[in-house]
Amino acid sequence: MHTNYHTHCDFCDGKADARAMAGAARAAGYSILGFSSHAPLPFATPWELEASRLEEYAETIRAIGREHAPGMEVLLGLEIDYVEGLCGPADGRFEGVGLDYSIGSVHYVTPSGAPRPSALALDGSGVPTFGFTVDESQESFDAHLASFYGGDADALVADYYAALAACVRAGGFDILGHFDLVTKNNRGQSRFREDTDAYRDAAMSAVDALAGTDVIVEINTGGMARGKTDAPYPAPWILKELRARGVGICVNADAHAPEHLAGFRDAGLRAAAEAGYRRLEAIGASGRFAIPLE
Ligand SMILES: [Zn+2]
Ligand SMILES: [Zn+2]
């Protein structure tokens, strides 16, 4: 049984409309497809769903669900940003939308030591001055690493995982997005080492926060699909630590285009099996259940 809960479309920064994404998922044999547009932020970005279109988004996804019933279940979700001190899935800002589930994701890092973004601090063009998203181009990542951290990538890594652990502790979501997204612009460990005690301790703070929760961690193949990474998130050693703590997983495409939906699914399933997982967690319209991993 194929499931995917991480799907973008042209309501946010996806390249295709929601109907095309659903059609591609159906053709690829998915039984459950969850849409997860980037939820509106308290400031404008080029990649989020506009707040004024939330209702239209919900209605469109529900209509697509009716078109594909009963062959494929289509769920309404959002990928909700956690920005330390500013917003997060626990705010309940989207409770009125009637979501089937949500993904909690950290894209933004806010340098510790800098003033917390309790009030919105934006420059003249609406760009936040309190931090930046690590989910960007290598060029932009490097520029922000220099301007916010003076090039100290280890400090950035510490702040990223502190935010991820805080996001988990705050809760309010079902699936944790792309656990080690901070490695996206670190191909070949070119910006920071991922084999140091400091890196391991930082990542483990988020692993430990997940222990005992019912949060599902996604194995995310979106970086591979976009040619940014050679393996899914999270790294194999993190998956093993998660399994040792009984944390459930699913495999998600983080698809921004139809061709992202199926291409790397096997890599995700392999990563799960290699970490010792025997089951995937699934969310359906009627609740949670498990899918055995063969
Ligand atoms: Zn994301
Ligand atoms: Zn996403």
Side-chain angles (χ1 to χ4, degrees), residues 4 6-26 33-37 49 53 56-57 60-65 67-68 72 74 255-261:
N4 174 52
H6 201 148
T7 313
H8 297 284
C9 61
D10 62 4
F11 273 99
C12 58
D13 61 347
K15 305 286 178 274
D17 68 34
R19 260 188 191 82
M21 294 300 283
R26 185 79 178 268
L33 177 71
F35 280 91
S36 59
S37 277
L49 167 65
R53 297 190 73 197
E56 181 194 350
Y57 169 66
T60 302
I61 302 308
R62 292 302 185 203
I64 292 170
E67 290 159 22
H68 282 280
M72 180 174 77
V74 176
H256 287 70
E259 63 269 24
H260 298 164
L261 272 163

Side-chain angles (χ1 to χ4, degrees), residues 202-291:
M204 283 303 293
S205 69
V207 168
D208 286 335
L210 283 156
T213 70
D214 61 359
V215 170
I216 302 168
V217 172
E218 67 171 5
I219 294 179
N220 178 314
T221 60
M224 296 179 82
R226 287 185 275 179
K228 292 287 293 184
T229 59
D230 302 317
Y233 311 106
W237 75 266
I238 294 172
L239 267 181
K240 285 189 184 137
E241 295 288 353
L242 290 167
R243 187 187 58 79
R245 284 159 184 75
V247 178
I249 54 160
C250 63
V251 175
N252 280 342
D254 201 349
H256 287 70
E259 63 269 24
H260 298 164
L261 272 163
F264 295 88
R265 186 180 157 75
D266 287 349
L269 293 172
R270 240 186 344 266
E274 282 167 12
Y277 277 99
R278 300 273 168 78
R279 56 180 266 182
L280 300 177
E281 306 304 316
I283 301 170
S286 47
R288 291 260 301 251
F289 59 99
I291 304 170

Side-chain angles (χ1 to χ4, degrees), residues 154-168:
D154 293 334
L156 178 147
V157 164
D159 285 343
Y160 171 81
Y161 282 116
L164 194 69
C167 174
V168 171

Side-chain angles (χ1 to χ4, degrees), residues 96-174:
V97 184
L99 300 177
D100 295 312
Y101 74 98
S102 63
I103 299 175
S105 287
V106 172
H107 301 102
Y108 281 91
V109 285
T110 58
S112 52
R116 298 282 93 191
S118 48
L120 260 186
L122 308 175
D123 72 10
S125 51
V127 176
T129 58
F130 51 76
F132 63 96
T133 162
V134 298
D135 192 9
E136 56 187 353
S137 70
Q138 186 76 60
E139 192 181 29
S140 174
F141 177 85
D142 289 342
H144 285 136
L145 178 59
S147 62
F148 281 93
Y149 285 95
D152 185 353
D154 293 334
L156 178 147
V157 164
D159 285 343
Y160 171 81
Y161 282 116
L164 194 69
C167 174
V168 171
R169 284 192 296 269
F173 61 95
D174 303 287

